[in-house]
Structures are given as C-alpha cells and as structure tokens.
Amino acid sequence: MPPGSSRAVTPLDDDYPAYTMGRAADMLGTTPAFLRALGDHRLITPLRSEGGHRRYSRYQLRIAARARELVDQGTPIEAACRIIVLEDQLEEAQRINEQMRTQGPEPQSRTSA
C-alpha cells in the first residue's frame, strides 16, 4: 500500500509494482543499469518480489522516463534526479498555493484580554 493509504493497491493502480526490471527497461528504452542508478540516487525505490527482484510501478516508470529525458539532453544523472525532486516540490507548492487561493483567507479569531 502507498504510504498513508488504508486501501489495498490493485493491479490497475499507478502504485502497483507490476513491472520487472527487464520489462521496465524495455518500456523506457534504457538499460537495467540506468534503473539501478536511479535507485542508487534515491529517485525511485522499487518494491521487491518475494524472490528479491525489483518491481516497478507505472508512477515510478513516469519518473524514470522524465529522468531519461533529462539525461538524453545531456544532464548528468545526479543533476537529473535533483531536478525531478525540485519539480515535484514546486508542483506540490503550487497545488497548495492554489488550494489556499480558492479557499480564501482564514477568519482571524479574536482573543479576549
């Protein structure tokens, strides 16, 4: 289950670890070593099967695809991983900002002296 989730993850969920390393590498047009490097840089952490094999989710494959895009443009893998983390943080901050903007200001409470 994803962190903080109380429901079971099903094979149709983006967080379900459905893809082996070989299949994931084929889908991304990269090598297993590239996927291992993303794990070494802590960008993605694949789940492990009972036999200890790495298993990737669709969500992780999207992140890996973004990393590959940056690396293919000449960005070192370490920098690509950091860029992706920062992009994710920016997206979250923008989402929170938009929520706050649509909810309006919180009423200020008055305290008696």
Side-chain angles (χ1 to χ4, degrees):
M1 283 189 278
S5 175
S6 59
R7 71 175 183 81
V9 177
T10 67
L12 298 177
D13 291 333
D14 279 352
D15 293 320
Y16 184 78
Y19 304 98
T20 63
M21 177 180 277
R23 179 70 179 123
D26 286 344
M27 290 171 67
L28 296 170
T30 189
T31 64
F34 178 78
L35 293 173
R36 281 192 294 275
L38 296 180
D40 292 344
H41 291 289
R42 296 185 179 100
L43 183 62
I44 56 175
T45 304
L47 293 175
R48 298 283 182 148
S49 68
E50 289 182 18
H53 299 283
R54 290 173 178 89
R55 305 283 296 192
Y56 296 89
S57 68
R58 289 180 191 151
Y59 175 74
Q60 290 171 326
L61 293 183
R62 283 195 298 273
I63 293 170
R66 176 67 178 132
R68 178 169 184 233
E69 179 183 313
L70 290 168
V71 169
D72 286 350
Q73 293 172 0
T75 306
I77 194 164
E78 301 84 11
C81 292
R82 184 67 182 138
I83 288 167
I84 293 167
V85 168
L86 290 170
E87 287 174 342
D88 186 56
Q89 289 173 347
L90 176 61
E91 184 179 313
E92 178 68 6
Q94 288 173 331
R95 185 189 62 75
I96 291 168
N97 194 16
E98 183 60 29
Q99 275 182 338
M100 294 176 107
R101 198 176 296 128
T102 59
Q103 291 173 357
E106 292 287 325
Q108 294 186 1
S109 63
R110 295 181 185 174
T111 57
S112 53

